Amino acid sequence: MSEDIRAGEIAVTLPDTFDAGIYFIGRIRTPWTRREDCPKNARGSDAVCTVEVDERYAAALEGVTTCTHLVLLYFMDRARRDLLVQSPRHGERRGTFALRSPVRPNPIAMSVVRLMRVDGTRLTVVGLDCLDGTPLIDIKPYFPSVDSVPDAVVGERTKTSP
Amino acid sequence: MSEDIRAGEIAVTLPDTFDAGIYFIGRIRTPWTRREDCPKNARGSDAVCTVEVDERYAAALEGVTTCTHLVLLYFMDRARRDLLVQSPRHGERRGTFALRSPVRPNPIAMSVVRLMRVDGTRLTVVGLDCLDGTPLIDIKPYFPSVDSVPDAVVGERTKTSP
């Protein structure tokens, strides 16, 4: 895939083997079936999405209804994994670890969602921007005491930034 | 390991094969070498920790210094993965997806950290509670616009909760 690289981008040769394995524990249902239709960021979307948890893990949902918000981890299984520096079409060149792009060595996305309803193993949520069918890998309760930093800043890079 | 189960806990038989693989991209250095020494939650700790990113991924750090806070994903490689309902020693019984316990089908932790300094591939951060040597799997910029929900609530379970 390295032929698809844009000017200024840097790719890496990934290791030959993985260090650990993950299970897909469900699927995320969203209105978006093509990457270009996905909202540019989750804040821009009030779309109601559905998280379908596999029956195997149903018992792990006990108590989830006490949470107003959840952290979802999911696997961007259609993203390449070898880019270390990216030049987004609308944005400045940045290292992958300074971007929320799905393209990264481990294409695991993290989204904070508002939990609207739980029906058995189906969770209705707001706050996602991923493709329909995206594999789910974890659900966690969101604790503002450790997860919320309202005054955090992601700055613009300037000529003097490293 | 199922003999180690506590009253009220529920274990599952995990699938025979993994669905995807992940790379360890570095290691986290903390003051804690035994699980019982780790802080009960990251808020309780002002300990300064170090994130050592593998040289292979050095270029991906470009622009990270513009972030005051980062999201770290790391792999709790010593945790069992088969518990769906857990009875914490100090806490009520809950489903794994309503807990931040390292024990989960995919033992991937998410922490929001304050970035103090970047020296080459070493990041100095505050806000971690994991064991020394924990494998790192991702670094992301923290955006309050989508990641911060100060009024989120994780409620107590009551007799009437499902």
Side-chain angles (χ1 to χ4, degrees):
Chain A
M1 294 208 291
S2 49
E3 66 272 21
D4 298 333
I5 209 163
R6 293 186 189 138
E9 292 191 329
I10 296 174
V12 73
T13 301
L14 291 165
D16 291 332
T17 55
F18 293 117
D19 296 300
I22 56 178
Y23 304 110
F24 296 163
I25 62 164
R27 294 275 164 181
I28 298 176
R29 296 293 161 198
T30 76
W32 309 292
T33 55
R34 301 181 313 164
R35 205 176 301 190
E36 55 269 37
D37 297 333
C38 292
K40 285 290 162 283
N41 65 62
R43 184 179 42 157
S45 169
D46 289 330
V48 175
C49 300
T50 306
V51 177
E52 299 176 348
V53 176
D54 288 352
E55 285 297 333
R56 181 195 298 263
Y57 304 105
L61 292 169
E62 186 178 319
V64 160
T65 52
T66 67
C67 304
T68 62
H69 292 74
L70 299 171
V71 173
L72 301 186
L73 301 183
Y74 45 97
F75 199 75
M76 313 297 276
D77 57 347
R78 297 201 235 169
R80 64 189 288 177
R81 300 175 66 158
D82 62 338
L83 290 189
L84 299 187
V85 174
Q86 302 178 47
S87 293
R89 214 177 293 274
H90 306 288
E92 58 183 358
R93 168 195 149 118
R94 273 181 183 258
T96 293
F97 299 150
L99 289 168
R100 291 291 275 261
S101 161
V103 172
R104 48 209 317 117
N106 293 304
I108 298 172
M110 186 280 285
S111 286
V112 179
V113 299
R114 186 154 49 95
L115 179 62
M116 311 299 288
R117 198 167 62 244
V118 179
D119 305 296
T121 55
R122 295 169 63 93
L123 281 58
T124 306
V125 303
V126 170
L128 289 172
D129 60 1
C130 62
L131 284 169
D132 185 51
T134 297
L136 178 72
I137 56 181
D138 201 11
I139 299 172
K140 303 177 188 295
Y142 181 94
F143 287 96
S145 55
V146 290
D147 299 325
S148 175
V149 185
D151 58 352
V153 172
V154 179
E156 293 293 313
R157 291 182 59 222
T158 65
K159 292 280 192 298
T160 57
S161 296
Chain B
M1 294 206 288
S2 50
E3 66 272 22
D4 298 333
I5 208 162
R6 292 186 190 138
E9 293 190 330
I10 296 175
V12 73
T13 301
L14 291 166
D16 291 332
T17 56
F18 293 118
D19 296 300
I22 55 178
Y23 305 110
F24 296 163
I25 62 163
R27 293 275 165 182
I28 298 176
R29 296 294 163 197
T30 76
W32 308 292
T33 56
R34 300 181 313 165
R35 206 177 300 189
E36 54 270 37
D37 296 334
C38 292
K40 285 289 161 287
N41 65 62
R43 185 177 42 157
S45 168
D46 290 329
V48 175
C49 300
T50 305
V51 177
E52 298 176 349
V53 177
D54 289 352
E55 285 297 334
R56 180 196 298 264
Y57 304 106
L61 291 169
E62 185 178 318
V64 161
T65 52
T66 66
C67 303
T68 62
H69 292 75
L70 299 172
V71 173
L72 301 186
L73 301 183
Y74 45 98
F75 199 76
M76 314 297 277
D77 55 348
R78 296 201 235 167
R80 65 189 287 178
R81 301 175 65 159
D82 62 338
L83 288 190
L84 299 188
V85 174
Q86 302 177 48
S87 293
R89 212 177 295 274
H90 307 288
E92 58 183 358
R93 167 196 149 117
R94 272 180 183 260
T96 293
F97 299 151
L99 289 169
R100 291 290 275 261
S101 161
V103 171
R104 47 209 318 119
N106 294 304
I108 298 172
M110 186 281 283
S111 286
V112 179
V113 300
R114 187 154 49 94
L115 178 62
M116 310 299 287
R117 197 166 65 244
V118 179
D119 306 297
T121 55
R122 293 169 64 92
L123 280 58
T124 306
V125 303
V126 170
L128 289 171
D129 59 0
C130 62
L131 284 169
D132 185 49
T134 296
L136 177 71
I137 58 181
D138 201 12
I139 301 173
K140 303 177 189 293
Y142 182 93
F143 287 97
S145 55
V146 291
D147 299 324
S148 175
V149 184
D151 57 353
V153 173
V154 178
E156 294 292 313
R157 290 181 59 223
T158 65
K159 292 279 191 299
T160 56
S161 296

